[in-house]
């Protein structure tokens, strides 16, 4: 299959390495410097090269801020039957956009990212394939993710957004709060160092990505739960309520063990 990958960043390069030995792969990247570290693929810097390549599948791997803009730029140069796809963690407005293009499409979300995951060992990581879209596109990505030993889930666009609001917004907001109140420690404990490592990883993400995840329409209710729990915990602390603390710890341990 002829596959075009838009963007030679971390995830774009990952997909190039993943696909280039079984498919004819090309990458389009506006910054020529990024193309220095790509291999076993054709490297494009102009849209006319894409037209001549005639891709059968296009994977949009640009940063989330420019996902739709990149689609709009490349669509006039793609064959009508080219399957278009994204791997974005934020799907806001994508369903409506896809349905207006007239192209077959598939949307997936590899939920491991390059920040924390070991890309050589992904058996404990997950991927979401959006159930709406092209059947052959879903089959292609399902086969690809199975080869990586990922745990695969099929959700609608709406179900995906709800899942992201829960799985990303809660740890992100918790990290923000930790970072906002933390002070430099000359001799930090193990737990503090682990939280600090997570905070540095999260805050190394693109600002727009963090913003869009937190602006997900389903995020508000999740963050409100954090506020409710903090209020309850603060009351227990203020009252030095040993019985209440024991009950609270039992409750949250149950959440971990379920």
């Amino acid at each position: 299959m002829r596959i075009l990958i838009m963007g030679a960043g971390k995830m774009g390069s990952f997909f190039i390495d993943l696909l280039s030995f079984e498919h004819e792969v090309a990458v389009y990247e506006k910054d020529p410097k990024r193309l220095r570290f790509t291999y076993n693929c054709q490297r494009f810097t102009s849209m006319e090269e894409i037209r001549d390549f005639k891709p059968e599948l296009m994977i949009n791997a640009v940063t989330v801020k420019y996902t739709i803009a990149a689609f709009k730029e490349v669509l006039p140069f793609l064959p009508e039957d080219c399957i278009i796809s994204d791997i974005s963690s934020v799907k806001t407005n994508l369903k409506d956009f896809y349905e207006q293009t007239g192209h077959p499409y598939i949307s997936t979300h590899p939920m491991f990212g390059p920040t924390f995951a070991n890309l050589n060992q992904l058996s404990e990581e997950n991927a979401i394939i959006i159930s709406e879209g092209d059947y052959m596109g879903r089959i292609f990505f399902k086969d690809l993710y199975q080869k990586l030993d990922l745990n695969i889930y099929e959700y609608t666009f709406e179900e995906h957004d709800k899942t992201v609001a829960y799985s990303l917004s809660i740890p992100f907001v918790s990290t923000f709060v930790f970072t906002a109140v933390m002070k430099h420690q000359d001799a930090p404990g193990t737990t503090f160092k682990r939280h600090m490592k997570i905070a540095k990883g999260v805050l190394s993400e693109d600002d727009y990505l963090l913003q869009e995840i937190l602006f997900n329409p389903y995020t508000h209710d999740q963050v409100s739960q954090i506020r409710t729990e903090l209020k309850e915990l603060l009351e227990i602390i203020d009252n030095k309520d040993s019985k209440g603390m024991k009950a609270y710890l039992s409750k949250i341990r149950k959440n971990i063990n379920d």
Side-chain angles (χ1 to χ4, degrees):
M1 180 183 285
R2 290 187 305 280
I3 301 174
L4 171 69
I5 295 173
M6 297 287 288
K10 292 178 181 178
M11 289 303 289
S13 297
F14 172 74
F15 274 90
I16 293 169
D17 293 344
L18 187 62
L19 296 167
S20 61
F21 288 96
E22 294 185 16
H23 301 275
E24 187 178 352
V25 172
V27 58
Y28 172 81
E29 171 58 61
K30 289 185 175 181
D31 182 359
K33 292 181 180 179
R34 284 189 169 185
L35 294 176
R36 290 180 301 178
F37 305 106
T38 59
Y39 66 97
N40 201 37
C41 66
Q42 298 185 55
R43 298 181 287 184
F44 298 158
T45 56
S46 77
M47 289 292 164
E48 289 300 329
E49 291 174 294
I50 294 174
R51 191 197 301 277
D52 296 337
F53 182 62
K54 296 182 176 63
E56 298 166 88
L57 170 68
M58 188 272 280
I59 301 175
N60 190 338
V62 304
T63 183
V64 65
K65 184 177 182 179
Y66 301 109
T67 299
I68 291 181
F71 273 132
K72 290 180 177 178
E73 184 179 10
V74 74
L75 281 176
F77 300 89
L78 299 178
E80 291 183 1
D81 59 351
C82 177
I83 301 171
I84 60 176
S85 70
D86 75 278
I87 55 171
S88 176
S89 56
V90 178
K91 306 295 186 186
T92 307
N93 301 321
L94 273 175
K95 181 181 180 181
D96 290 340
F97 175 79
Y98 275 134
E99 292 176 349
Q100 293 171 5
T101 65
H103 278 265
Y105 69 86
I106 176 63
S107 183
T108 76
H109 180 184
M111 297 185 71
F112 44 88
T115 301
F116 294 114
N118 177 359
L119 298 182
N120 295 314
Q121 179 59 44
L122 296 171
S123 60
E124 295 184 0
E125 305 295 342
N126 304 317
I128 293 174
I129 297 176
I130 301 300
S131 57
E132 299 146 290
D134 183 74
Y135 172 76
M136 294 307 297
R138 294 202 306 274
I139 295 299
F140 175 86
F141 277 97
K142 187 172 184 179
D143 180 64
L144 180 65
Y145 292 155
Q146 283 177 336
K147 289 179 180 177
L148 292 173
D149 206 19
L150 291 166
N151 302 296
I152 302 170
Y153 301 88
E154 291 198 34
Y155 295 152
T156 64
F157 277 105
E158 182 179 12
E159 289 168 340
H160 168 271
D161 288 349
K162 288 180 178 179
T163 298
V164 168
Y166 175 76
S167 64
L168 293 183
S169 65
I170 289 179
F172 279 15
V173 169
S174 300
T175 298
F176 290 175
V177 172
F178 165 77
T179 309
V181 302
M182 61 158 285
K183 295 180 181 179
H184 175 73
Q185 300 289 312
D186 290 326
T190 301
T191 302
F192 184 93
K193 288 191 289 186
R194 288 180 178 176
H195 277 279
M196 177 62 80
K197 183 178 180 180
I198 292 172
K200 287 181 177 179
V202 169
L203 292 173
S204 71
E205 296 284 3
D206 178 75
D207 287 0
Y208 186 85
L209 171 63
L210 297 174
Q211 170 187 297
E212 289 304 294
I213 287 172
L214 294 183
F215 287 178
N216 180 324
Y218 300 103
T219 293
H220 176 271
D221 290 346
Q222 299 296 338
V223 176
S224 291
Q225 290 184 41
I226 295 176
R227 184 171 56 189
T228 300
E229 292 298 321
L230 284 175
K231 181 180 179 182
E232 179 181 352
L233 184 57
L234 190 58
E235 288 176 355
I236 292 171
I237 293 170
D238 288 344
N239 295 325
K240 295 181 171 58
D241 182 358
S242 299
K243 185 177 179 181
M245 179 60 76
K246 184 175 179 62
Y248 191 83
L249 292 173
S250 296
K251 180 183 76 171
I252 61 177
R253 285 188 178 120
K254 185 175 184 299
N255 284 348
I256 292 177
N257 295 326
D258 283 349

